[in-house]
């Protein structure tokens, strides 16, 4: 299979795979930052990616059973961070279209922030939970 530019599409390479709960979040942020830096994601983009994945991982802890599984992959000039949870599932329509107001009970603030800070945010949900994929382009 070829990409539109004519280059061959390379299968994703898994850089990190880890189950997590609340106590694991600082370690995951540090590991993903190290992998992202090693694979060429510069600042401030790297810090934005970490903030985005943290927002989604915190959602998994708080709203979907206390934890999840993070898979970080490099694929075709991108870093993809997949965060799986075993919660009841949700869809992209929980993401506010405008800046959420502080102090209100509106849900979706973490997803809104993650969407803002990444090049692509995808959500898939099924009976076993949800997967949020955060993607950033590598230079």
């Amino acid at each position: 299979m070829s990409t539109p530019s004519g280059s061959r599409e390379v299968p994703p390479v898994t850089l990190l795979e880890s189950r997590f709960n609340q106590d694991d979040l600082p370690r995951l942020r540090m590991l993903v930052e190290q992998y992202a830096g090693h694979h060429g994601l510069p600042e401030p983009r790297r810090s934005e990616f970490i903030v985005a994945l943290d927002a989604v991982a915190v959602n998994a802890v708080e709203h979907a059973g206390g934890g999840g599984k993070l898979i970080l992959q490099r694929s075709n000039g991108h870093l993809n961070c997949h965060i799986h949870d075993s919660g009841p599932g949700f869809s992209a329509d929980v993401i506010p279209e405008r800046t959420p107001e502080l102090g209100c009970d509106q849900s979706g603030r973490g997803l809104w922030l993650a969407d803002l800070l990444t090049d692509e945010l995808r959500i898939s949900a099924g009976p076993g939970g949800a997967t949020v994929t955060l993607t950033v382009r590598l230079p």
Side-chain angles (χ1 to χ4, degrees):
M1 174 186 259
S2 293
T3 62
S5 63
S7 61
R8 300 206 43 82
E9 195 167 312
V10 178
V13 174
T14 298
L15 307 173
L16 174 66
E17 188 169 337
S18 180
R19 294 206 165 278
F20 66 89
N21 61 36
Q22 177 71 40
D23 295 337
D24 300 314
L25 294 178
R27 178 184 58 82
L28 277 182
R29 289 189 299 265
M30 181 190 71
L31 287 171
V32 173
E33 181 176 17
Q34 289 174 352
Y35 279 105
H38 178 74
H39 287 275
L41 189 62
E43 287 293 352
R45 197 70 177 130
R46 185 168 62 235
S47 291
E48 293 169 349
F49 187 54
I50 301 306
V51 168
L53 82 85
D54 185 60
V56 175
V58 166
N59 279 350
V61 168
E62 292 180 354
H63 304 293
K69 182 177 180 181
L70 179 143
I71 300 172
L72 181 67
Q73 296 178 316
R74 180 180 178 148
S75 176
N76 297 308
H78 294 84
L79 282 180
N80 300 304
C81 183
H82 309 278
I83 298 176
H84 308 278
D85 67 44
S86 57
F90 60 95
S91 65
D93 56 347
V94 301
I95 303 172
E97 291 184 24
R98 298 186 310 211
T99 306
E101 294 180 28
L102 294 176
C104 72
D105 288 338
Q106 183 176 13
S107 65
R109 271 192 218 98
L111 292 168
W112 175 84
L113 182 62
D115 189 36
L116 182 69
L117 294 174
T118 58
D119 294 316
E120 183 179 7
L121 180 136
R122 289 186 318 269
I123 298 169
S124 60
T131 300
V132 177
T133 300
L134 308 164
T135 299
V136 290
R137 281 185 295 279
L138 294 168

